[in-house]
Amino acid sequence: TPCSGIWQTVWLEPVPECHVRALHIRTGADFAEIRAEGVREGEILLEGRRYPLRDGVARLEPETLQLWSPEEPYLYRFTLESGDDRVQSYFALRTLTTEERGGVPRLCLNGKPYFFNALLDQGYWSDGLYTPAGPEGYEQDILAMKSLGFNTLRKHIKLEPEQFYYDCDRLGMIVFQDMVNCGGYRYIRDTVLPTIHLQKRNDRFLNPDREVRRNFLESMEQTVRLLGNHPCICLWTIFNEGWGQFSADELTR
């Protein structure tokens, strides 16, 4: 169904001249590293303890460690103060690794093999096409999937407003996030021949349009920059079914 208009939330906020423009959060099993754009000095308040922000970076080591999972989606909420600016955010402690168990490589969540019982979430809504009628629609959808026994949603070639990812963070729903398609799909070329091992060509220039390739690289970087702080996202899908694929090994790295 054709549609037009804006598709993300518009946010307007008055800020002091020196303000936090963005946060970049990297976590492990027992720490969080917070990088702040726009400011160099300040303090981060977490669980009643203050951590100094030096050269725009702070390392937080919570005294009580609670790992994030769909079963226990614990979030650490913190406040960053720098000059006249004050920002509230959160992070979660969790790891995703590939480890060999019984001679088989397994995806491990927080060091333990985990069964990702997933649905393909295309993000269509009967009352709003690409968006629900109200923001509570995301929560209702996520909780419905959890009640049916699922713990993962593969968000299919679509980026949602951040309300969706926040709800997945706090409600405990893993997300496998697709990049948006950057080219066409041909059933014989992209599915049949590779499946029966008759096509083993180099994919470096499989997508011949240089401008499309450049735009995809920029969009991929912007996607990770936009959503990379969300603990619910455990995996990125670069090319869905080979649509527009090129240089897959290089892009994976």
Side-chain angles (χ1 to χ4, degrees):
T1 302
C3 66
S4 63
I6 60 175
W7 64 280
Q8 285 278 14
T9 302
V10 174
W11 182 276
L12 295 177
E13 177 185 5
V15 295
E17 183 173 354
C18 182
H19 62 276
V20 178
R21 294 197 299 268
L23 294 178
H24 304 282
I25 303 173
R26 183 174 66 91
T27 66
D30 59 0
F31 77 93
E33 182 183 88
I34 313 296
R35 292 183 176 271
E37 283 188 23
V39 299
R40 296 180 61 83
E41 308 296 330
E43 283 188 328
I44 293 180
L45 179 63
L46 173 70
E47 299 178 326
R49 182 179 174 186
R50 292 187 176 273
Y51 295 83
L53 184 75
R54 297 191 178 98
D55 293 328
V57 180
R59 182 182 174 92
L60 283 57
E61 298 178 349
E63 295 182 359
T64 303
L65 298 181
Q66 299 188 54
L67 298 179
W68 186 95
S69 70
E71 294 73 30
E72 297 184 36
Y74 187 82
L75 301 178
Y76 291 86
R77 299 182 183 272
F78 66 88
T79 301
L80 168 59
E81 296 177 349
S82 179
D84 296 327
D85 201 14
R86 186 171 184 268
V87 174
Q88 293 179 316
S89 190
Y90 65 90
F91 63 87
L93 302 179
R94 66 128 181 90
T95 62
L96 185 78
T97 54
T98 303
E99 301 179 21
E100 190 171 293
R101 302 294 170 86
V104 178
R106 304 288 188 186
L107 276 179
C108 295
L109 182 67
N110 300 326
K112 299 179 181 179
Y114 193 83
F115 183 74
F116 296 87
N117 194 17
L119 290 167
L120 187 70
D121 184 352
Q122 294 184 313
Y124 289 119
W125 300 85
S126 61
D127 48 9
L129 193 57
Y130 293 122
T131 56
E136 66 280 356
Y138 292 118
E139 177 176 342
Q140 294 168 359
D141 213 38
I142 294 165
L143 291 177
M145 297 307 99
K146 292 199 70 169
S147 71
L148 292 171
F150 297 97
N151 57 34
T152 305
L153 297 174
R154 179 183 164 196
K155 179 52 65 174
H156 190 49
I157 53 176
K158 180 190 181 191
L159 304 186
E160 295 287 3
E162 283 204 75
Q163 179 70 48
F164 166 79
Y165 302 97
Y166 171 62
D167 287 343
C168 288
D169 289 340
R170 66 183 181 85
L171 297 173
M173 179 64 78
I174 291 171
V175 175
F176 289 176
Q177 177 64 51
D178 285 12
M179 298 298 169
V180 176
N181 285 342
C182 72
Y185 170 76
R186 298 178 184 175
Y187 177 68
I188 298 297
R189 182 196 69 183
D190 296 328
T191 296
V192 175
L193 295 181
T195 300
I196 59 178
H197 304 289
L198 290 181
Q199 179 168 286
K200 296 183 179 180
R201 56 188 294 192
N202 189 303
D203 72 347
R204 184 167 183 80
F205 299 108
L206 192 59
N207 185 331
D209 193 317
R210 179 180 299 179
E211 182 66 16
V212 168
R213 297 198 305 267
R214 183 194 65 78
N215 185 62
F216 179 75
L217 292 173
E218 291 182 359
S219 297
M220 188 167 69
E221 182 177 351
Q222 291 170 1
T223 297
V224 175
R225 183 179 176 86
L226 174 67
L227 302 178
N229 288 340
H230 288 284
C232 66
I233 299 180
C234 289
L235 183 147
W236 306 93
T237 304
I238 302 178
F239 296 111
N240 167 65
E241 299 176 350
W243 289 45
Q245 179 175 322
F246 66 97
S247 304
D249 289 345
E250 179 182 346
L251 267 60
T252 299
R253 287 190 290 271

